[in-house]
Amino acid sequence: MRLRSILATLLGVAYLTLALTSLLNWAADRWGGGPVLGSLGPLPAPSSLGLFIPLFTVGILYASSYYYWRSGPRLEFHAILLVASILSLSLSILELLLGFAEFLDHLVKVGLFGSAGGFDPGVFAELEIPLGLLSIPILRVSLRELRSLRGS
Amino acid sequence: MTHVVALVGNPNVGKSVIFNSLTGGKAWVGNWPGVTVEKKVGRYRFLGREFEVVDLPGIYGLSAFSVDERIARDFIVEGRPDVVLNIVNASNLGKDLYLTVSLLEAGAKLVIALNMMDLAEDRGIEIDVQGLRRILGVPVVPTIATKGVGLEALRRAILSVAESKGVPKFRIGYGRDVERAIDEIKAILAGTPLEERYPLRWLAIRLLEGDPDYLQRVREALGEEACERIRGIKEDLSRRLGADPEDAIVERRHAVVMDVVSRVVRTARRPSFTMTEVLDYVVTHKIFGIPILLTMLYFAFRIAFDLTAPLVDAIDWLFSDYLSGLAEAHIGSEWLRSLVSDGILNGLGTLLVFLPNIAFFFLLLSAMEDLGYMTRVAFIMDKIMYRLGLSGKSIIPIILGVGCNVPAILATRNIEDERDRKVTAMVLPLVPCSARLPIFLLFSAAFFSSFRGAVIASMYVISIGVIALVANLFRRTAFRGPTTGFIMEMPPYMVPSIRNVLMKTWIRTRKFLEKAGTVIFGSVIVIWIMSVTGPSGYIGPGAFEDPSLMAKSWVAWMGMKLEPLLRPLGWDWRLAAALIYGFLAKEVVVSTLSLAFGKGGVALMRELSSMLLPHQAFAFMVFSLTYVPCIPTIAAIRSELGTKYAILTVLYQMALAYLLALLVVALGGLVF
């Protein structure tokens, strides 16, 4: 339980940092001339106003799970983890699908319109994808815990 | 011979899934006579027999408090369908059986589909199906409609009841005093024409419940004297009971339902909570609810607008390259070639290129409805709507309006308070319907490609803000008075049935395609004619290549009349002309632009982006969001509220759109 709470809180902080980065990068890109933070380690930093919304939502859910862990109600704690991990995993899957769609679109443009533009495989290396995968164990554990709470 | 099957049940019991499963989703949609409530009829064949399924509105009883209940009651009692298929939620038998016993009292030839058996099992509820069958005296078929379980047995039960002569014998005993009053009223009605039209016992109970519709029917058939005698019997009964007979009858019916439930339902293991409750704790949370809603919208927009990019580009190629090339190569006549290529392919192609976006948008809308999330959206938004001066019930028409404003306006009939209803109907055209999506998609792709999802989402946010502003203004001026709340039933979350979601998506997308093939196709031809002709006579197809020639066309003439008004916004006559034609249907705006510019798809986007600044384009989007409703929407407002309110809606929207666009241009001018 403690480990779960620590992992969830850390994920919450990571998502909130990403959300803030995304918002600042977008604003700086729009009005300041260039992104504040180009990359986070080997992976590109997000820079989108829209992406701020799911990153912030997942971040705030994970981070607030700490409060429920501290205050005791296990059901609410696992409910928050369940929804946060579902959203986080959905975001990860969505980013992967968008990467595939971009690749297909590239094929359509080259094949049908004779476009010479290249495809950037970096779309498969967005930070949200590995973070979403980190949510899988949390999703599994929270489902298991909820089932056991339900049966008790 | 075709057997008529009436489908009836409480809201959110899986009625539409069963309707689609039985009929294969093929339905004719019309209106019930005299009212503008949608009537859905489908057909199917089973063991060589033909069945016509009539989907009745979701209701809780036959008391006729609302238009929906009146329609259902009249169809069952007076239409006398061969079978009434009552869909019952197995996990909530106590609530749903009230309608069942009301139907049995009305003499309906009933088949009960005990739906959502999986959910009941999940909640530890065991139902003695044989026992229920025995007590009610009608076939009871356990089903899980979303998984197709029990549908074959349901078809067999429907066939068996349709071909049987017997009527269910179920009867509620109301106690000595009420029974004596029923017999006295039956004696008055016996031997009259009413005996042939209605089950006498049921009619007598309705009259004791004080149903004004049936009292009127008795007055028409038997005169005022019979009514007076019935009123006397009711008053006498009231004195003997020391209470209103209606309350006594309803109480007794509830008691019978509870007795049936206690005899057939056994809760083997009562779980401390359900997964729906767990999810709802977070999804409808006062802090987390809104961010989760915005995240769901983000997912929906990214899927509908970005995931579909390969399909959009492929359709663009089909119209702008392949079909246009074929037309250029194979049509000899210059004017016919221009009509096909510059007119139909260009005008329709620029619109149909967005078909994947619209279809995916409908797909997600249908999936969220079937998941049960849209009810949560209504719940989350209810408090906000209430604070903004709108009735809680307004949220349902507003959500419907995202598809199309016309059915949304008709749905305001469920709002009992007249002021709430008028305000809601008058602000509904400000909801961005799917017809406005192509405009948003075109301009966001042309000007804001790197964050077009956010720009399109901003249209929905602006819409909510403007609705709040206008509703508040109306509530503080012409429609003063308190706003009313409403009680909302939260259905359990369900994994959506893929088949049902695809069917709903197809039905909605088909409407868009039908519109493209009729109204918009016709409009495109008219606009093509007005582009190749002008006040000076025939200009020829050269107008699509040469802007100076196009400037001499009727389209330009009309646009130029409006242009001086729109010049402060940075728009020329071509945008003005597009807005004028958008009055017919909002989709026509995009088609007109492609004809007026002589270009479609990506070429049109390039042309627009070289002509306008981003904030002027954004102002055009805001204007398209808020300016006059299309003709069918105005007609719907007129039929619901009257000519005065329809004119008022058109006028306030025109003024509002112009002011908002001016504001966007003025503020944008400071940034760009």
Side-chain angles (χ1 to χ4, degrees):
Chain A
M1 186 93 161
R2 173 185 278 270
L3 186 67
R4 243 167 280 152
S5 169
I6 292 170
L7 181 60
T9 312
L10 284 176
L11 272 175
V13 173
Y15 270 103
L16 287 174
T17 310
L18 272 185
L20 191 66
T21 309
S22 186
L23 188 67
L24 287 176
N25 272 351
W26 173 80
D29 217 13
R30 190 80 197 83
W31 289 293
V36 177
L37 198 62
S39 64
L40 288 164
L43 302 177
S47 172
S48 154
L49 178 63
L51 191 57
F52 165 78
I53 296 168
L55 290 175
F56 174 78
T57 306
V58 175
I60 201 86
L61 283 170
Y62 270 138
S64 59
S65 69
Y66 179 76
Y67 163 79
Y68 289 97
W69 175 70
R70 291 273 301 182
S71 59
R74 284 175 69 201
L75 181 64
E76 283 83 345
F77 172 67
H78 287 292
I80 296 243
L81 289 191
L82 178 71
V83 174
S85 53
I86 288 173
L87 291 179
S88 150
L89 192 60
S90 304
L91 182 63
S92 178
I93 293 168
L94 178 68
E95 290 294 342
L96 273 176
L97 287 174
L98 288 170
F100 280 116
E102 209 165 299
F103 177 63
L104 279 178
D105 195 35
H106 164 72
L107 293 182
V108 168
K109 281 177 175 156
V110 171
L112 299 178
F113 291 100
S115 159
F119 169 69
D120 174 18
V123 291
F124 290 112
E126 304 286 353
L127 256 167
E128 306 86 77
I129 298 172
L131 276 179
L133 297 179
L134 276 178
S135 296
I136 294 176
I138 295 187
L139 175 66
R140 288 182 59 183
V141 170
S142 51
L143 269 176
R144 200 180 58 210
E145 284 289 326
L146 284 167
R147 279 201 199 104
S148 75
L149 281 172
R150 204 165 170 239
S152 62
Chain B
M1 183 194 164
T2 303
H3 294 301
V4 177
V5 181
L7 207 64
V8 66
N10 286 193
N12 302 316
V13 291
K15 216 154 53 68
S16 68
V17 182
I18 289 190
F19 178 86
N20 287 336
S21 302
L22 288 175
T23 62
K26 295 185 193 87
W28 295 267
V29 179
N31 278 347
W32 290 94
V35 288
T36 42
V37 175
E38 197 176 79
K39 179 185 185 183
K40 209 161 72 172
V41 182
R43 281 174 182 273
Y44 74 93
R45 280 183 73 79
F46 183 68
L47 297 178
R49 271 71 145 205
E50 189 85 25
F51 294 85
E52 185 179 276
V53 186
V54 181
D55 190 11
L56 295 171
I59 53 168
Y60 292 100
L62 297 179
S63 307
F65 288 128
S66 68
V67 179
D68 288 353
E69 284 185 350
R70 189 161 54 78
I71 287 167
R73 183 200 63 190
D74 289 351
F75 186 77
I76 290 162
V77 178
E78 290 169 34
R80 297 203 180 166
D82 299 304
V83 180
V84 173
L85 176 55
N86 178 207
I87 321 292
V88 169
N89 178 354
S91 70
N92 206 349
L93 216 52
K95 180 173 71 64
D96 286 23
L97 278 186
Y98 185 84
L99 175 63
T100 307
V101 298
S102 304
L103 290 166
L104 286 168
E105 281 195 299
K109 288 175 72 182
L110 216 60
V111 170
I112 296 172
L114 206 53
N115 199 26
M116 302 186 185
M117 285 298 284
D118 50 345
L119 195 71
E121 196 181 327
D122 190 48
R123 291 182 178 179
I125 298 168
E126 283 174 17
I127 299 171
D128 174 7
V129 177
Q130 291 292 346
L132 188 61
R133 205 173 286 160
R134 210 172 38 249
I135 294 169
L136 300 179
V138 294
V140 180
V141 183
T143 59
I144 308 169
T146 50
K147 295 176 185 164
V149 175
L151 294 173
E152 179 71 13
L154 196 60
R155 287 191 186 96
R156 286 188 187 281
I158 291 169
L159 174 65
S160 150
V161 170
E163 299 198 336
S164 72
K165 299 279 178 220
V167 174
K169 299 280 184 284
F170 183 85
R171 179 185 154 135
I172 296 175
Y174 287 100
R176 202 186 56 201
D177 291 337
V178 178
E179 288 295 336
R180 199 166 70 192
I182 291 172
D183 288 341
E184 283 170 11
I185 295 178
K186 275 171 72 180
I188 297 170
L189 304 172
T192 70
L194 291 170
E195 191 174 7
E196 285 166 27
R197 288 178 64 190
Y198 309 106
L200 274 195
R201 180 178 167 81
W202 177 80
L203 182 56
I205 295 170
R206 294 296 322 136
L207 292 168
L208 282 177
E209 285 188 83
D211 188 322
D213 281 355
Y214 283 94
L215 205 60
Q216 179 60 25
R217 282 170 217 195
V218 170
R219 185 175 292 114
E220 283 163 10
L222 309 179
E224 189 57 41
E225 193 201 329
C227 284
E228 280 303 319
R229 285 172 64 197
I230 290 167
R231 240 181 248 124
I233 293 168
K234 195 184 163 197
E235 277 164 20
D236 186 38
L237 176 64
S238 189
R239 268 193 301 277
R240 269 182 281 151
L241 294 173
D244 190 331
E246 186 184 359
D247 294 343
I249 289 169
V250 171
E251 260 174 43
R252 176 70 191 132
R253 218 178 268 144
H254 274 296
V256 167
V257 168
M258 285 304 123
D259 178 53
V260 173
V261 170
S262 70
R263 286 158 68 189
V264 300
V265 173
R266 198 171 63 239
T267 306
R269 48 174 177 86
R270 187 184 295 277
S272 47
F273 56 88
T274 63
M275 282 310 272
T276 291
E277 285 163 358
V278 169
L279 290 172
D280 270 345
Y281 174 74
V282 187
V283 171
T284 59
H285 192 276
K286 61 181 175 184
I287 296 169
F288 306 133
I290 296 282
I292 291 172
L293 170 61
L294 292 173
T295 301
M296 295 297 277
L297 280 177
Y298 172 82
F299 287 159
F301 283 125
R302 289 299 304 269
I303 291 169
F305 305 135
D306 291 338
L307 209 59
T308 50
L311 290 170
V312 169
D313 281 338
I315 295 176
D316 185 26
W317 170 82
L318 180 74
F319 279 94
S320 63
D321 269 38
Y322 183 70
L323 291 175
S324 285
L326 279 183
E328 295 289 337
H330 293 97
I331 302 175
S333 158
E334 190 196 24
W335 73 266
L336 186 61
R337 190 168 60 233
S338 171
L339 172 65
V340 174
S341 180
D342 300 320
I344 297 167
L345 291 177
N346 193 16
L348 279 185
T350 307
L351 181 69
L352 289 178
V353 88
F354 299 118
L355 180 67
N357 303 122
I358 289 166
F360 268 72
F361 185 71
F362 287 149
L363 181 86
L364 292 162
L365 199 67
S366 307
M368 286 207 262
E369 275 172 7
D370 282 17
L371 179 70
Y373 186 64
M374 294 314 274
T375 321
R376 272 73 192 180
V377 173
F379 177 80
I380 294 163
M381 296 300 291
D382 175 46
K383 204 181 273 181
I384 299 170
M385 286 291 143
Y386 190 77
R387 282 191 189 149
L388 296 176
L390 278 168
S391 154
K393 278 195 171 178
S394 306
I395 192 67
I396 305 292
I398 286 173
I399 290 173
L400 274 176
V402 175
C404 177
N405 289 173
V406 175
I409 286 164
L410 304 184
T412 58
R413 285 186 156 230
N414 280 334
I415 303 173
E416 288 91 2
D417 185 272
E418 197 56 19
R419 278 187 301 255
D420 283 342
R421 194 168 88 85
K422 281 179 178 157
V423 172
T424 307
M426 286 174 70
V427 298
L428 270 173
L430 298 168
V431 177
C433 63
S434 59
R436 277 174 263 202
L437 260 182
I439 308 173
F440 302 156
L441 286 163
L442 177 71
F443 278 80
S444 59
F447 292 88
F448 313 100
S449 58
S450 58
F451 52 98
R452 66 182 186 143
V455 169
I456 294 171
S458 74
M459 289 297 115
Y460 292 82
V461 175
I462 291 172
S463 160
I464 293 170
V466 173
I467 286 172
L469 184 85
V470 175
N472 230 314
L473 200 70
F474 281 155
R475 295 300 313 213
R476 283 168 194 273
T477 53
F479 302 96
R480 278 172 188 272
T483 47
T484 53
F486 80 119
I487 296 165
M488 195 186 300
E489 187 192 347
M490 293 279 203
Y493 288 103
M494 304 276 284
V495 176
S497 141
I498 294 173
R499 185 184 156 88
N500 198 47
V501 168
L502 289 177
M503 266 177 199
K504 277 185 174 180
T505 306
W506 168 237
I507 289 165
R508 287 167 164 162
T509 310
R510 195 175 60 193
K511 277 186 186 169
F512 173 78
L513 287 172
E514 281 169 1
K515 210 170 170 189
T518 52
V519 177
I520 298 158
F521 184 81
S523 306
V524 161
I525 291 176
V526 170
I527 298 163
W528 178 84
I529 293 169
M530 294 181 75
S531 302
V532 296
T533 57
S536 59
Y538 183 65
I539 303 167
F544 295 106
E545 306 294 331
D546 183 352
S548 64
L549 280 179
M550 179 60 87
K552 294 175 183 164
S553 67
W554 283 115
V555 172
W557 181 85
M558 281 178 75
M560 281 170 189
K561 293 280 172 206
L562 193 64
E563 193 187 4
L565 199 66
L566 301 180
R567 208 171 288 140
L569 303 169
W571 308 341
D572 73 359
W573 62 264
R574 289 172 291 193
L575 278 82
L579 290 171
I580 294 171
Y581 289 108
F583 188 49
L584 297 171
K586 297 291 182 214
E587 296 95 330
V588 180
V589 171
V590 169
S591 303
T592 312
L593 282 174
S594 66
L595 265 76
F597 280 91
K599 293 178 177 71
V602 179
L604 174 63
M605 290 177 197
R606 271 195 219 109
E607 189 77 20
L608 283 169
S609 60
S610 68
M611 183 192 124
L612 295 172
L613 290 168
H615 64 289
Q616 291 168 332
F618 192 75
F620 188 83
M621 291 169 77
V622 173
F623 193 91
S624 303
L625 169 73
T626 46
Y627 89 116
V628 286
C630 64
I631 290 175
T633 306
I634 297 171
I637 297 174
R638 187 174 168 270
S639 78
E640 291 301 301
L641 308 182
T643 308
K644 187 176 86 178
Y645 292 101
I647 293 170
L648 182 63
T649 306
V650 171
L651 292 178
Y652 98 73
Q653 280 200 236
M654 274 165 67
L656 180 73
Y658 192 70
L659 285 174
L660 284 175
L662 265 181
L663 187 70
V664 171
V665 169
L667 289 176
L670 300 174
V671 179
F672 293 99

